[in-house]
Amino acid sequence: MTMKISGQHLQIVQKIQETFKIGLKNSKAFMEHINLKHGDCHRCNYTNLIGENIICPKYKSVNTNWKI
């Protein structure tokens, strides 16, 4: 996600809140699980994630794996 890479975290959280009609806490949690690079886990160095919403087999963390 381009906004996440550029450091616009506040704008991302606000957009998530507006889009999904969820609160601040859940919006922040959702944002933290968006991959910076498609196919790469947001928490570890695993690089073969396939699918949109997937659990990393190495770290066991949920990833929102959007190809943008």
Side-chain angles (χ1 to χ4, degrees):
M1 173 172 268
T2 305
M3 288 176 71
K4 187 170 182 185
I5 293 168
S6 67
Q8 296 174 318
H9 290 79
L10 180 59
Q11 291 89 344
I12 296 169
V13 170
Q14 290 172 338
K15 186 66 173 176
I16 291 169
Q17 284 182 286
E18 293 168 8
T19 302
F20 299 105
K21 308 292 187 232
I22 58 177
L24 179 63
K25 181 179 177 181
N26 288 328
S27 296
K28 286 180 177 180
F30 184 92
M31 188 220 30
E32 290 302 320
H33 290 90
I34 299 172
N35 299 9
L36 291 176
K37 182 178 176 192
H38 185 261
D40 292 358
C41 179
H42 74 281
R43 298 283 308 253
C44 72
N45 61 356
Y46 188 81
T47 60
N48 196 23
L49 296 177
I50 300 170
E52 186 171 298
N53 296 303
I54 188 165
I55 296 176
C56 173
K58 181 177 179 182
Y59 192 77
K60 307 297 184 216
S61 179
V62 174
N63 283 264
T64 302
N65 190 36
W66 291 334
K67 191 170 189 174
I68 298 176

